[in-house]
Amino acid sequence: MRRKNSEILLENSMFLTAIMMIVAYCISVFLRFYWVYWASSYPHFFYNNELMISTNDGYAFAEGARDMIAGFHQPNDLSYYGSSLSTLSVFLVKILPFSFETIILYMSVFISSLIVIPIMLIAYEFKNLYAGFIASLVASVANSYYNRTMAGYYDTDMLNITLAMFVLWALIRLVTSKDRLCLLYIPAFILIYSWWYPSSFSLNSAMLIAFLGYTIVFDRKSRINYEAMILMLISLTNIALSLQIVLILICFFIIYFKSDLINLKRLAILGGIIFLFFIIRGGLNPILFQLKFYIFRSVADTKDIAFKFFNVNQTIMESSTISSDIFMKRVSSSITIFIFGLIGYFYLCFKQRAFLLSLPILALGVLAFKAGLRFTIYAVPIIALGYGVFIKQIYILFMLWLRSTSFKKNKTKVLKILQYPKTLTALFFIFFGIISLIPSIRHIIMYKTHPVFFTSEVEILNSLKKIAKREDYVISWWDYGYPIRYYSDVKTLIDGGKHLGGDNFPVSFTLTADEVASANMARLEVEYTEMQYAKKIPFMDTHLKWMMKDYGFNNVNLFLKALNSPNFKAPKPSRDIYYYLPDRMIDIFNVIAEFSNLDLKDGKPYNNFFFFTTQNYQQDGKNGPILLSENLTLSEDLTYINYNGRQIDINTIYTTQYDKNGKLNVEARPIDDNAPLYLIFMSDYARFVIVNKKAFDSTYVQLYVLENYDKNLFEPVVLNPVAKIYKLKR
Ligand code: MN
């Protein structure tokens, strides 16, 4: 029966494999164009006649690619010059007739869909093409995979899973067919993967360990397995790439052409030497570090125990833990598909032991429970293959039922179709393919992400590019770091990759402190950052420690207080500093404040900063209070608020409004000199802002919301309703 099936189904046909790959690839690309279609109706998503990318980190790679095309970048500007994705982008820009913006927008669409290739290749090894076809369809657009590889998601994710699957395929092919060419494929894919995504080291190491375990349990006598392990170890050792390639080629040619030279004993000695070398070159360190970071979440924020900074991973959504429902939907788009997929996975591992080698990839996906959303994508193709196998088994049962005698007696007409088994098979799998895609398609239609920035903001940053020099610094929150550097070609203090508590503290301070302290801190932090690059202060130390040393302070709180003083002498400027204050920052201003509004000696928050803002409110009846949030109402005459049942009076009401010429007018209405709160109504945004004195005096509120800047300290460069840029005058 089984043999007969595989003959009917042509499950060993290279041709059919290729057809299925192409069909699945095209569907995956096609579905990703839905977002392009949707987004194209919004003019404020466009810049340079192209939709803008939707991932923050993408701007880091875009900056790197831009600099590579230009052929230069500034020392210590943190540009991703030479990074893998930037390099690939530059290559595509050179060979394709499209603009840079177009290429970075669509790369994820065309590259991430390549995942169907290793899936189909694995299915081919298992002579299970139809399962592979279903798996390719399901995996290529499963929720989490789609989210991280959709159009505009310009990030290394577009190849991360595909490369892991290629390594898996080469391993599976090695153990199932003993094809000696796999001794080249395996290290080649590991090297490509390591170049593309250096963090793949842990996954590759885990695959090596799994392969060792598999060999010991099921395949002890296969010499080729040990040979492959040695090649894997070489490709994972921290030595120059050229040396790795030479070593791999030498080993491969000896194994391939002079295999009589090698016996098990010599192989063991060789393996031992390379393993020793692997350890000496620090091969075990990353594993220990990763365990510490992701499992125990005790990141060594700073080696300096003198300061207790606010820890950043509490505020990043990506790193938060998730529920099992969300997990299953992210992996397979629907809980049903996931459960069938898991059943199929166990069945496949039982039938094809080689598939046990996929355990590390699946495990990394399951790690999402501990380490956060971003890891679910690894489980996607593995569970999808399980689901494909499940559907395939359903089909076999269906065929058995069609051929059963009781069925034949009743429905002779249907029998005709049994004479065309290929058509029947094709219809069955096309039908199930479409059905299985429905949850993903629904998700794609629902999941509408915006570009990182809108056109108006990008135009402002682009105008800054013409004003600021490449060595100048722009101070803003880390969320905007990469885009600022890409559009304005300047330096930043913090960005999507540099935002530990100690990095964020000074920036948070400049945004939330009053203007004098802000100006001093901005100058200090910029100059000390450059001093650190110039190796005048040690690399791992916080700048704060050295500032205090230079200014003769032992107590950090006294030092920060001294920054308020008009007599404080900040370092001599080596370059200009700009503040980039976008409107969108108002929504995260409370989070920003948390990073500096604490006692650095014990890490305890001060709780003296009140900042509330909303554009979402309604009046209770005609003359009732205005409901600002669940526990906060504003009296109808705007003179007091009711916060958690407590009445707190308003000191002054400010109303801001742009006139016809785009100039901001601020009108102040004093209510009660002794009251603690300030109410600002930003009429053009229909937005209320309620702040206490400390938040009211903050540089962001003064400079962005009220345009009330100290003319000795700041000079406006751009005053636009979506973002304001000030230049520091000293
Ligand atoms: Mn630069």
Side-chain angles (χ1 to χ4, degrees):
M1 179 67 208
R2 170 135 303 150
R3 172 161 297 175
K4 218 170 165 188
N5 259 335
S6 82
E7 276 163 20
I8 293 168
L9 302 179
L10 294 169
E11 299 230 77
N12 50 5
S13 156
M14 279 295 247
F15 179 70
L16 189 59
T17 312
I19 296 283
M20 286 175 168
M21 265 181 203
I22 292 166
V23 171
Y25 180 83
C26 290
I27 291 174
S28 166
V29 167
F30 175 77
L31 290 176
R32 278 176 174 73
F33 267 85
Y34 174 79
W35 182 83
V36 177
Y37 160 77
W38 169 79
S40 292
S41 56
Y42 296 90
H44 56 287
F45 289 179
F46 282 82
Y47 186 66
N48 265 356
N49 296 320
E50 189 55 88
L51 285 166
M52 290 182 286
I53 59 173
S54 59
T55 161
N56 211 311
D57 289 358
Y59 280 112
F61 301 107
E63 180 195 23
R66 176 203 68 200
D67 288 344
M68 288 172 81
I69 291 169
F72 67 90
H73 72 112
Q74 293 64 53
N76 306 313
D77 63 0
L78 309 178
S79 167
Y80 275 35
Y81 194 97
S83 74
S84 56
L85 180 52
S86 304
T87 308
L88 179 62
S89 313
V90 173
F91 173 74
L92 293 175
V93 168
K94 287 196 173 141
I95 61 163
L96 296 174
F98 305 113
S99 74
F100 182 71
E101 279 84 3
T102 302
I103 285 174
I104 65 171
L105 181 76
Y106 290 105
M107 264 174 89
S108 52
V109 171
F110 290 93
I111 291 180
S112 69
S113 299
L114 293 173
I115 194 164
V116 303
I117 298 176
I119 292 178
M120 285 310 303
L121 288 174
I122 290 169
Y124 180 80
E125 291 307 317
F126 293 150
K127 304 277 173 283
N128 222 333
L129 291 187
Y130 290 90
F133 180 63
I134 297 282
S136 300
L137 291 179
V138 169
S140 62
V141 287
N143 289 7
S144 58
Y145 192 64
Y146 174 80
N147 293 358
R148 296 184 73 90
T149 61
M150 60 190 289
Y153 206 98
Y154 177 60
D155 201 344
T156 49
D157 285 316
M158 64 177 83
L159 262 184
N160 281 349
I161 317 303
T162 305
L163 287 170
M165 291 300 283
F166 267 117
V167 175
L168 176 63
W169 163 73
L171 284 171
I172 286 174
R173 182 166 170 82
L174 180 90
V175 298
T176 48
S177 72
K178 305 290 176 198
D179 174 7
R180 291 199 295 165
L181 277 177
C182 290
L183 294 175
L184 263 192
Y185 301 151
I186 296 169
F189 282 120
I190 290 179
L191 285 182
I192 296 170
Y193 198 7
S194 307
W195 168 74
W196 179 257
Y197 186 57
S199 311
S200 67
F201 176 84
S202 357
L203 179 59
N204 283 322
S205 310
M207 300 245 266
L208 173 56
I209 293 164
F211 186 46
L212 176 67
Y214 177 89
T215 305
I216 290 169
V217 177
F218 300 114
D219 216 4
R220 226 163 311 167
K221 298 221 168 73
S222 274
R223 205 177 76 187
I224 193 169
N225 289 20
Y226 302 106
E227 293 163 348
M229 280 177 227
I230 287 171
L231 290 165
M232 283 174 92
L233 208 50
I234 296 173
S235 40
L236 287 174
T237 302
N238 179 23
I239 47 173
L241 180 65
S242 49
L243 187 58
Q244 282 174 312
I245 294 174
V246 169
L247 279 176
I248 287 166
L249 287 178
I250 291 174
C251 288
F252 175 75
F253 282 112
I254 293 174
I255 292 164
Y256 204 84
F257 296 107
K258 295 266 176 221
S259 61
D260 47 317
L261 277 179
I262 308 173
N263 54 30
L264 270 179
K265 198 176 148 198
R266 282 179 189 168
L267 209 59
I269 292 167
L270 182 64
I273 292 170
I274 291 173
F275 187 61
L276 208 67
F277 201 51
F278 172 81
I279 295 174
I280 292 168
R281 297 294 301 168
L284 296 183
N285 302 353
I287 298 172
L288 299 173
F289 178 80
Q290 296 265 333
L291 276 180
K292 227 170 123 186
F293 187 89
Y294 285 119
I295 310 282
F296 304 110
R297 286 211 172 189
S298 63
V299 58
D301 193 355
T302 164
K303 279 187 177 164
D304 206 314
I305 47 158
F307 305 123
K308 295 243 188 302
F309 292 115
F310 185 71
N311 206 344
V312 75
N313 34 0
Q314 295 151 357
T315 66
I316 307 176
M317 214 237 327
E318 258 186 4
S319 321
S320 56
T321 48
I322 55 171
S323 78
S324 58
D325 271 23
I326 294 174
F327 174 79
M328 290 189 273
K329 279 188 184 159
R330 282 182 62 93
V331 172
S332 304
S333 299
S334 102
I335 294 172
T336 317
I337 293 182
F338 182 88
I339 290 168
F340 288 168
L342 201 60
I343 297 168
Y345 177 76
F346 289 126
Y347 179 80
L348 183 58
C349 286
F350 179 69
K351 285 280 173 192
Q352 301 277 359
R353 281 190 313 227
F355 202 56
L356 285 169
L357 294 168
S358 68
L359 264 174
I361 304 181
L362 182 64
L364 186 53
V366 175
L367 200 68
F369 279 115
K370 266 276 182 201
L373 286 178
R374 51 188 255 124
F375 288 96
T376 52
I377 45 174
Y378 286 91
V380 166
I382 308 297
I383 296 296
L385 270 162
Y387 177 71
V389 167
F390 184 87
I391 297 296
K392 166 76 181 302
Q393 290 312 117
I394 298 275
Y395 176 70
I396 289 173
L397 290 177
F398 173 65
M399 290 285 278
L400 287 173
W401 176 65
L402 279 187
R403 285 174 185 166
S404 66
T405 42
S406 62
F407 182 81
K408 277 180 189 171
K409 266 181 203 160
N410 298 330
K411 311 248 171 146
T412 41
K413 274 185 193 167
V414 189
L415 265 181
K416 271 195 175 167
I417 201 162
L418 281 175
Q419 290 160 15
Y420 307 98
K422 282 181 199 166
T423 318
L424 180 67
T425 310
L427 284 175
F428 181 91
F429 282 96
I430 288 169
F431 176 74
F432 266 93
I434 293 169
I435 296 269
S436 312
L437 276 176
I438 288 173
S440 303
I441 292 170
R442 281 163 105 162
H443 172 75
I444 288 170
I445 291 171
M446 191 204 74
Y447 192 76
K448 288 168 174 140
T449 54
H450 295 175
V452 180
F453 275 2
F454 296 136
T455 314
S456 48
E457 293 166 293
V458 168
E459 275 165 355
I460 290 166
L461 287 175
N462 197 48
S463 69
L464 180 61
K465 185 183 192 168
K466 289 164 196 136
I467 299 163
K469 295 179 289 295
R470 289 195 173 97
E471 281 287 351
D472 292 346
Y473 271 83
V474 172
I475 292 183
S476 199
W477 198 236
W478 67 260
D479 301 34
Y480 321 122
Y482 292 142
I484 288 172
R485 292 219 301 269
Y486 176 67
Y487 288 113
S488 303
D489 201 354
V490 288
K491 288 184 166 184
T492 58
L493 289 172
I494 49 176
D495 59 38
K498 185 189 177 204
H499 53 235
L500 293 176
D503 303 316
N504 285 346
F505 177 84
V507 177
S508 166
F509 188 91
T510 55
L511 296 169
T512 52
D514 68 40
E515 292 172 63
V516 174
S518 168
N520 284 328
M521 178 56 97
R523 180 52 70 194
L524 278 166
E525 182 63 17
V526 164
E527 299 305 335
Y528 275 76
T529 298
E530 284 292 325
M531 271 162 69
Q532 190 163 58
Y533 289 139
K535 300 207 168 75
K536 284 177 191 151
I537 49 179
F539 180 63
M540 278 306 284
D541 265 358
T542 61
H543 305 155
L544 201 52
K545 182 175 142 190
W546 288 86
M547 292 172 198
M548 284 167 62
K549 206 173 152 222
D550 291 352
Y551 284 84
F553 279 87
N554 285 321
N555 182 325
V556 64
N557 294 327
L558 290 180
F559 174 69
L560 294 173
K561 215 170 194 175
L563 297 180
N564 270 327
S565 151
N567 304 323
F568 187 88
K569 268 196 87 65
K572 243 179 83 194
S574 65
R575 65 205 66 226
D576 287 332
I577 297 174
Y578 296 87
Y579 283 40
Y580 176 72
L581 309 171
D583 183 63
R584 59 169 73 222
M585 200 148 94
I586 210 162
D587 294 322
I588 57 167
F589 195 52
N590 260 323
V591 179
I592 293 175
E594 278 183 83
F595 283 87
S596 63
N597 201 32
L598 76 174
D599 187 341
L600 285 182
K601 282 177 161 177
D602 55 18
K604 290 209 178 85
Y606 284 141
N607 292 325
N608 63 353
F609 192 89
F610 183 83
F611 181 90
F612 174 87
T613 179
T614 184
Q615 289 172 293
N616 224 331
Y617 47 83
Q618 61 188 71
Q619 191 157 23
D620 194 4
K622 211 172 177 192
N623 294 314
I626 302 160
L627 308 173
L628 299 179
S629 80
E630 228 171 85
N631 54 1
L632 180 63
T633 59
L634 181 62
S635 70
E636 181 250 337
D637 62 353
L638 311 180
T639 57
Y640 65 90
I641 62 163
N642 199 304
Y643 183 51
N644 286 329
R646 259 176 68 214
Q647 180 182 322
I648 312 172
D649 292 337
I650 301 286
N651 183 310
T652 313
I653 301 169
Y654 291 86
T655 309
T656 71
Q657 186 164 29
Y658 284 96
D659 67 16
K660 277 180 200 147
N661 305 318
K663 196 181 160 301
L664 188 74
N665 291 315
V666 181
E667 188 197 312
R669 181 153 65 96
I671 306 284
D672 176 359
D673 264 1
N674 299 316
L677 291 182
Y678 297 78
L679 172 71
I680 306 169
F681 182 65
M682 301 170 75
S683 59
D684 307 276
Y685 310 80
R687 176 194 283 145
F688 283 109
V689 180
I690 301 172
V691 287
N692 69 354
K693 178 86 174 109
K694 172 135 177 72
F696 181 76
D697 287 338
S698 73
T699 299
Y700 179 70
V701 170
Q702 290 297 317
L703 266 56
Y704 173 71
V705 180
L706 301 171
E707 293 187 10
N708 178 33
Y709 54 95
D710 181 336
K711 294 177 179 59
N712 296 315
L713 296 175
F714 297 102
E715 174 191 335
V717 177
V718 176
L719 294 179
N720 187 293
V722 289
K724 292 168 192 177
I725 299 175
Y726 289 85
K727 184 178 173 180
L728 187 64
K729 283 172 94 172
R730 61 186 199 197

